[in-house]
């Protein structure tokens, strides 16, 4: 798969490259000749050699080089698109180590050291860790250093776009007609050009990509044949079997029996050069990395960005509205649930309260008789109006009884829905109840006709009460091709039946797609911007159907779940959530959060596995709570936005600058200190456009240290939360740090902040 080593290079050595070779000079000097190019490398310089390059290296007595050679076989098997390009990477030719130009070189060097760290870990997950670190490194090379297409002299851009699309979407539906339409040409012309440029036909190439991925899954997972087939873009196991036999000459089952348990590369596994574990290389590397970080060496990850605070055109800064979720409507009767809702509403200003139970077992919840039920409805609706939360009613018809097998809801259910709306209309002011939402849920995708009949009846009933009541349906998780198809079918049917939804609710929890108890090497890379990618998939479906629906709500979303309820509660992911919320903007109308801990007070039930709750136990605040409080401080005009930085203003001299360090990582183990340091980032943000004067700075920091208290709480066997000292400690320990200072500013000012993985810092700035 690869060769990795710390090498002392003195005398001249020659060699050639199969795949890619990355050289970083740790100490001394090194001269590298590649063809007609001669490179003089200084410490911390990095150089990349391409496949087919012949080279000569020569150093001195003290020369120490960290070298990584990735085989062409591995690149072909795992990241085939890389083979199409050549890469130019020579940091010695591009300025000082801390220049903006060299930010990409720092990321590359950091990824290289992560491969070495992962290799040196003597743990059960070492194989996965090395592969993940190696693929992260290749990702940095591919995105930051590719310059030309191998052997194609600048191949046609449309074919490059098509190949890129295939590599990104081969697990779903990819058709020649769609690619041709995207380029504005006929399928026949595009097919001919594709084969001319690529060397094989479109379908053969697409199946080849799918089969490479499926072959890996067969050798390294325990998934069923059907699951592997569907996950890699095949319609069913039978079609997969036929194509696989044609390509490999054996059945998928036989291939699995032959290759199961082999090393990840299938070509000799992990190899090493000149790495002497007896000298405790891990500690040596720890010293080198830590020394450089502390003394401003090549590994010090300083990212400098200039952010102007005055622009001719200012865009609106939009964050999704907030939906507070409880289970059943009857839970609103409980004083603990109400206390949490009132606290959340007081400090976070939610918009909707989501519940179900209007017709399913409503009698059991509220007692016998419609009079008592309506009295409780009226009482609860007035309570919601008083605290300013609009009803968001879930109508789950999955288990509804059908009369005599007919595909229609029994009159009692329709009557219960109507009764609730009647109470709402006579209890609440019109301007309030007309904002209410009703979402129809049905979890049996095999009977879409039944769903549509029920949805149409509910839609008609509610719209007869008032056209202003908004009615929608739940589309489940758009990461699943079958669920996307179901969503599309529902949109088309509702359009044909003239009952189009006003909105749709979707689930975008990556736990629905990935099994995080057994990572595969691309899990974390695929999770980058996962939420936004699912949102865009949903909007593409809406646009393709020509639907008039214009609102999406994210009801189940998460950046990454932990491996247990407690770990999921304490697993630190604040910057990931902040980054997603900022990206959502006006693409998502609202995001949902669980607020009630009524059924989550015991340790085993502290986490709703597929949602982000605001609370861990009772009033103990989880990271999302503090994050949402901080985001409320953001102004309404956007000045600057990137993955790490968001700057806003209110137009009257107040500014907010949010700094983030979003990182996905493997929660199967705890990082050592070196790895934590490597995942940290030092941001220097130069704010320009200030009017000269004295300014006040409020700084709120939420770092990894603020979730340690939850872990310590678990290790202490979860002492009783009736202990006031324990409750006070946890509440205080899980809140962001706060600081305040003033400074004289003359035109520009630099914010300097070191953030650990998934940490955030919010600066609130105004003139005094």
């Amino acid at each position: 798969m690869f060769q990795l080593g710390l090498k002392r290079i003195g005398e001249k050595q020659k060699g050639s490259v199969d795949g890619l070779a990355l050289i970083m000079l740790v100490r001394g000097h090194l001269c590298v000749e590649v063809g007609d190019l001669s490179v003089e490398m200084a410490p911390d310089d990095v150089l990349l050699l391409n496949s087919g390059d012949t080279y000569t290296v020569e150093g001195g007595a003290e020369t120490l080089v960290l070298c990584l050679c990735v085989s062409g076989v591995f690149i072909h098997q795992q990241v085939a698109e890389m083979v199409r390009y050549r890469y130019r990477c020579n940091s010695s030719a591009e300025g000082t180590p801390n220049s903006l130009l060299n930010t990409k070189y720092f990321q590359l060097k950091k990824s290289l050291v992560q491969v070495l760290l992962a290799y040196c870990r003597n743990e059960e997950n070492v194989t996965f860790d090395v592969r993940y670190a190696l693929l992260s490194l290749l990702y940095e090379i591919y995105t930051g250093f590719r310059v030309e297409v191998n052997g194609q002299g600048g191949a046609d851009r449309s074919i490059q776009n098509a190949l890129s699309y295939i590599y990104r979407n081969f697990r779903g539906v990819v058709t020649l007609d769609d690619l041709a339409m995207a380029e504005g040409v006929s399928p026949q012309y595009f097919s001919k050009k594709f084969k001319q440029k690529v060397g094989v036909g479109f379908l053969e190439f697409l199946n080849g990509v799918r089969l490479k991925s499926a072959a890996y899954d067969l050798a390294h997972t325990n998934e069923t044949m059907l699951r592997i087939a569907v996950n890699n873009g095949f319609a069913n196991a039978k079609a997969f079997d036929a194509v696989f036999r044609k390509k490999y000459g054996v059945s998928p089952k036989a291939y699995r029996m032959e290759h199961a348990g082999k090393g990840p590369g299938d070509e000799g596994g992990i190899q090493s050069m000149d790495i002497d574990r007896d000298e405790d290389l891990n500690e040596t590397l720890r010293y080198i990395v830590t020394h450089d970080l502390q003394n401003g060496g090549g590994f010090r990850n300083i990212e400098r960005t200039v952010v102007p605070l005055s622009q001719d055109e200012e865009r609106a800064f939009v964050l999704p509205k907030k939906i507070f979720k409880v289970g059943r409507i009857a839970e609103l009767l409980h004083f603990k649930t109400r206390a949490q809702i009132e606290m959340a509403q007081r400090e976070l200003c939610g918009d909707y309260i989501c519940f179900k139970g209007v017709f399913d077992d409503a009698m059991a919840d509220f007692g016998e008789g419609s009079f008592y039920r309506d009295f409780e409805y009226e009482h609860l609706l007035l309570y919601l109006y008083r605290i300013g939360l609009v009803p968001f009613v879930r109508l789950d018809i999955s288990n509804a009884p059908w009369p005599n097998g007919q595909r229609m809801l029994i009159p009692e259910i329709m009557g219960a829905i109507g009764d609730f709306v009647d109470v709402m209309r006579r209890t609440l002011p019109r301007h309030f109840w007309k904002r209410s939402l009703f979402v129809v849920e049905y979890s049996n995708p095999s009977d879409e006709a039944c769903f549509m009949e029920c949805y149409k009846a509910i839609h008609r009933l509610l719209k007869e009460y008032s056209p202003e009541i908004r009615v929608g349906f739940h589309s489940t998780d758009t990461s699943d091709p079958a669920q996307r198809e179901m969503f599309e079918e529902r949109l088309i049917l509702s359009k044909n039946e003239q009952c189009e939804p006003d909105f749709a609710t979707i689930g975008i929890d990556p736990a629905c797609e990935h099994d995080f108890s057994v990572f595969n090497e691309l899990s974390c890379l695929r999770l980058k911007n996962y939420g936004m990618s699912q949102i865009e998939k949903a909007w593409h479906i809406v646009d393709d159907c020509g639907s008039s629906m214009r609102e999406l709500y994210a009801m189940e979303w998460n950046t990454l779940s932990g491996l247990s309820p407690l770990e999921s509660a304490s697993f630190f992911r604040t910057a990931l959530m902040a980054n997603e919320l900022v990206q959502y903007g006006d693409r998502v109308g609202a995001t949902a959060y669980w607020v009630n801990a009524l059924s989550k007070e015991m340790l085993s039930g502290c986490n709703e596995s597929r949602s982000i709750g605001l609370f861990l136990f009772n009033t103990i605040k989880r990271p999302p709570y503090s994050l949402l409080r901080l985001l409320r401080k953001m102004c309404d005009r956007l000045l600057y936005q990137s993955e790490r930085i968001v700057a806003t203003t209110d137009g009257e001299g107040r500014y907010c600058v949010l700094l983030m360090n979003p990182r996905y990582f493997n929660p199967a183990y705890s990082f050592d200190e070196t790895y934590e340091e490597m995942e940290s980032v030092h941001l220097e943000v130069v704010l320009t456009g200030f009017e000269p004067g004295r300014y006040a700075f409020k700084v709120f920091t939420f770092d990894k240290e603020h979730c340690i208290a939850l872990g310590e709480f678990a290790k202490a066997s979860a002492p009783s939360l009736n202990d006031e000292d324990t409750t006070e400690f946890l509440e205080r320990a899980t809140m962001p740090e706060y600081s305040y200072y003033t400074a004289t500013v003359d035109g520009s000012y630099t914010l300097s902040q070191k953030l650990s993985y998934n940490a955030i810092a919010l600066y609130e700035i105004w003139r005094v």
Side-chain angles (χ1 to χ4, degrees):
M1 181 169 71
F2 74 93
Q3 291 182 311
L4 176 69
L6 275 174
K7 304 183 66 175
R8 290 179 172 85
I9 298 178
E11 299 179 354
K12 183 178 293 188
Q13 300 179 15
K14 296 182 178 180
S16 61
V17 180
D18 170 28
L20 291 173
L22 189 63
I23 300 171
M24 189 185 76
L25 184 59
V26 177
R27 185 178 65 239
H29 73 277
L30 186 70
C31 178
V32 183
E33 295 181 0
V34 185
D36 297 331
L37 178 66
S38 180
V39 180
E40 294 287 341
M41 297 181 65
D44 292 335
D45 275 342
V46 60
L47 177 68
L48 180 68
L49 305 179
N50 286 272
S51 179
D53 285 348
T54 57
Y55 62 87
T56 302
V57 295
E58 184 175 9
E62 298 299 319
T63 299
L64 182 63
V65 173
L66 178 58
C67 181
L68 174 70
C69 301
V70 186
S71 73
V73 172
F74 176 79
I75 296 174
H76 273 281
Q77 288 180 343
Q78 302 301 324
V79 279
E81 191 172 5
M82 287 194 70
V83 180
R84 300 177 51 247
Y85 295 90
R86 291 184 65 81
Y87 304 88
R88 184 178 298 122
C89 171
N90 178 10
S91 65
S92 64
E94 298 195 30
T96 59
N98 286 332
S99 69
L100 285 175
L101 183 62
N102 274 270
T103 298
K104 62 181 182 179
Y105 286 103
F106 169 77
Q107 296 294 342
L108 186 66
K109 289 184 283 187
K110 185 176 73 169
S111 295
L112 177 59
V113 171
Q114 285 176 340
V115 175
L116 183 58
L117 284 171
Y119 177 81
C120 294
R121 296 181 65 92
N122 187 20
E123 294 189 1
E124 183 178 346
N125 291 323
V126 63
T127 300
F128 160 75
D129 295 337
V130 171
R131 289 177 61 80
Y132 168 60
L134 183 59
L135 283 161
S136 298
L137 172 67
L138 294 177
Y139 177 80
E140 294 290 346
I141 293 173
Y142 178 75
T143 56
F145 298 95
R146 70 179 186 269
V147 291
E148 61 186 53
V149 178
N150 261 330
Q152 293 187 22
D156 192 288
R157 173 60 59 183
S158 64
I159 300 301
Q160 294 182 38
N161 292 340
L163 293 175
S164 178
Y165 183 86
I166 290 171
Y167 282 114
R168 293 196 313 271
N169 300 282
F170 70 89
R171 296 178 187 278
V173 178
V174 181
T175 68
L176 179 66
D177 289 348
D178 289 342
L179 292 175
M181 183 181 299
E183 298 299 330
V185 297
S186 70
Q188 294 78 11
Y189 174 80
F190 189 81
S191 176
K192 181 179 179 181
K193 186 167 68 169
F194 187 96
K195 187 169 185 177
Q196 179 184 3
K197 295 292 184 181
V198 179
V200 297
F202 164 76
L203 186 59
E204 182 180 352
F205 182 84
L206 173 62
N207 282 337
V209 173
R210 288 171 168 169
L211 288 171
K212 286 179 183 178
S213 175
Y216 179 85
D217 290 344
L218 287 168
H220 301 99
T221 74
N222 294 320
E223 296 285 1
T224 64
M225 296 299 169
L226 176 60
R227 181 77 174 179
I228 290 176
V230 174
N231 283 351
N232 289 284
F234 295 97
N236 49 56
K238 184 177 180 180
F240 169 57
D241 185 88
V243 178
F244 193 93
R245 287 174 184 270
K246 184 176 180 180
K247 172 73 173 180
Y248 291 97
V250 296
S251 69
K253 183 177 181 180
Y255 183 91
R256 166 172 277 177
M257 294 178 63
E258 179 181 353
H259 292 82
K262 286 192 175 183
D266 294 334
E267 296 294 328
I270 299 175
Q271 305 176 22
S272 65
M273 309 181 300
D274 303 338
I275 293 183
D276 189 353
R277 298 183 66 88
D278 294 337
E279 295 182 2
D280 203 351
L281 176 62
N282 198 21
E283 288 300 319
T284 302
L285 185 58
R286 186 191 308 276
Y287 168 78
I288 294 172
V289 173
T290 304
H291 178 78
D292 283 341
L293 285 166
Q294 291 176 343
N295 294 281
F299 280 109
R300 190 180 180 196
N301 186 7
I302 300 180
E303 295 187 11
R304 291 184 175 89
T305 306
V306 177
V307 176
L309 296 181
S310 58
Q311 295 182 356
D312 295 334
E313 295 184 7
E314 296 175 354
R315 292 178 292 157
F317 178 68
V318 180
L319 289 171
K321 295 179 180 178
K322 291 178 281 293
I323 303 170
F324 296 155
K325 293 178 66 175
V326 297
R328 307 179 61 78
I329 187 173
E331 291 188 36
L332 293 170
L333 296 172
H334 199 282
F335 75 94
K336 287 186 178 180
T337 301
R338 288 197 178 190
Q340 291 176 346
I341 291 173
E342 290 169 15
M343 179 188 298
Q345 181 64 352
R346 183 169 59 251
E347 300 192 32
L348 303 180
C349 293
D351 300 278
Y352 302 100
I353 182 77
C354 181
F355 53 82
K356 69 176 189 176
V358 167
F359 66 81
D360 46 336
D361 298 328
M363 295 299 182
D365 284 338
F366 293 107
E368 296 295 333
S370 61
F371 175 80
Y372 182 76
R373 181 194 62 196
D374 291 353
F375 174 79
E376 291 292 357
Y377 281 169
E378 187 173 318
H379 172 67
L380 292 177
L381 289 170
L382 285 172
Y383 166 73
L384 296 179
Y385 173 65
R386 179 174 61 82
I387 63 175
L389 288 172
V390 176
F392 192 133
V393 186
R394 294 173 55 197
L395 303 174
D396 190 350
I397 61 173
S398 304
N399 299 315
W402 314 117
N404 302 321
Q406 301 179 41
R407 289 175 171 174
M408 58 178 289
L409 293 173
I410 61 175
E412 287 82 356
I413 291 180
M414 297 297 287
I417 296 173
D419 289 344
F420 179 81
V421 179
D422 279 330
V423 175
M424 187 172 64
R425 291 178 65 196
R426 68 171 180 259
T427 303
L428 302 176
R430 180 177 177 81
H431 75 276
F432 190 80
W433 68 260
K434 72 178 182 180
R435 294 163 51 201
S436 59
L437 297 93
F438 290 78
V439 58
V440 183
E441 301 179 9
Y442 187 61
S443 57
N444 184 3
S446 64
D447 196 355
E448 283 301 292
C450 177
F451 163 80
M452 187 50 58
E453 288 299 318
C454 297
Y455 165 75
K456 184 167 62 173
I458 293 173
H459 186 278
R460 185 186 305 113
L461 172 69
L462 294 172
K463 291 297 183 178
E464 286 176 355
Y465 277 102
S466 173
E468 294 173 303
I469 293 178
R470 287 177 290 170
V471 187
F473 53 66
H474 185 59
S475 66
T476 63
D477 195 322
T478 56
S479 64
D480 185 347
Q483 300 292 348
R484 290 201 299 270
E485 184 177 344
M486 181 183 72
F487 182 37
E488 182 176 11
E489 182 178 353
R490 289 182 176 181
L491 286 173
I492 293 173
L493 288 173
S494 65
K495 183 178 180 180
N496 294 338
E497 296 288 346
Q498 297 183 342
C499 56
E500 288 188 89
D502 299 300
F503 66 92
T505 61
I506 62 174
I508 51 176
D509 182 354
C512 297
E513 183 176 3
H514 299 279
D515 178 9
F516 293 112
S517 61
V518 182
F519 267 59
N520 65 68
E521 73 282 353
L522 285 177
S523 291
C524 294
L525 292 181
R526 288 171 180 164
L527 286 175
K528 189 171 185 179
N529 299 325
Y530 176 88
M532 198 62 222
S533 69
Q534 301 308 314
I535 294 295
E536 292 302 332
K537 286 178 183 177
W539 278 119
H540 283 316
I541 294 172
V542 173
D543 293 338
D544 291 344
C545 294
S547 174
S548 62
M549 188 200 77
R550 277 295 164 259
E551 283 191 302
L552 286 175
Y553 299 121
M555 303 303 290
E556 304 289 349
W557 69 287
N558 202 339
T559 53
L560 191 63
S561 294
L563 302 182
S564 67
L566 185 66
E567 186 175 85
S568 186
S570 60
F571 188 64
F572 194 77
R573 53 191 184 273
T574 304
L576 291 168
M577 290 184 288
N579 185 254
E580 285 201 358
L581 287 172
V582 168
Q583 287 186 73
Y584 289 169
D586 57 1
R587 302 295 284 168
V588 180
T591 49
Y593 309 85
W594 284 89
V595 295
N596 63 317
L598 180 62
S599 57
K600 305 177 181 66
E601 293 176 349
M602 299 302 293
L603 182 62
S604 61
C606 67
N607 172 58
E608 179 69 20
S609 62
R610 291 187 176 180
S611 63
I612 299 177
L614 295 179
F615 301 92
L616 177 59
F617 298 97
N618 294 331
T619 61
I620 307 302
K621 300 164 184 68
R622 294 170 66 177
Y625 184 96
S626 299
L627 169 64
L628 294 173
R629 285 191 67 188
L630 292 183
L631 290 180
R632 280 196 64 204
K633 297 179 179 294
M634 300 294 286
C635 303
D636 59 359
R637 302 184 189 181
L638 181 64
L639 296 172
Y640 181 90
Q641 181 175 344
S642 67
E643 185 180 47
R644 296 198 194 278
I645 305 167
V646 179
T648 63
T649 181
D650 63 358
E652 298 180 359
R654 177 174 169 267
Y655 305 96
C656 284
V657 182
L658 178 66
L659 307 182
M660 303 174 286
N661 182 22
R663 296 285 184 184
Y664 281 107
F665 53 86
N666 184 350
Y669 58 79
S670 299
F671 288 151
D672 59 30
E673 293 180 1
T674 304
Y675 206 100
E676 290 176 2
E677 192 69 30
M678 295 298 295
E679 289 296 328
S680 298
V681 62
H682 190 160
L683 298 181
E684 288 191 354
V685 181
V686 182
L687 304 176
T688 64
F690 278 111
E691 293 184 5
R694 193 154 188 84
Y695 286 79
F697 293 79
K698 280 185 181 179
V699 189
F700 303 87
T701 306
F702 206 166
D703 202 88
K704 67 183 180 67
E705 301 298 332
H706 299 97
C707 69
I708 291 178
L710 299 176
E712 296 300 320
F713 177 71
K715 293 176 184 177
S717 300
S720 172
L721 283 167
N722 293 323
D723 184 339
E724 293 183 1
D725 293 334
T726 299
T727 303
E728 181 183 353
F729 165 74
L730 286 176
E731 287 184 339
R732 184 176 65 253
T734 55
M735 294 296 289
E737 291 181 1
Y738 167 79
S739 61
Y740 172 87
Y741 65 92
T742 61
T744 301
V745 178
D746 185 12
S748 66
Y749 186 82
T750 300
L751 306 179
S752 181
Q753 184 80 37
K754 186 172 181 180
L755 300 174
S756 69
Y757 57 89
N758 290 331
I760 64 172
L762 177 67
Y763 286 79
E764 192 176 359
I765 308 167
W766 69 94
R767 189 168 182 176
V768 294

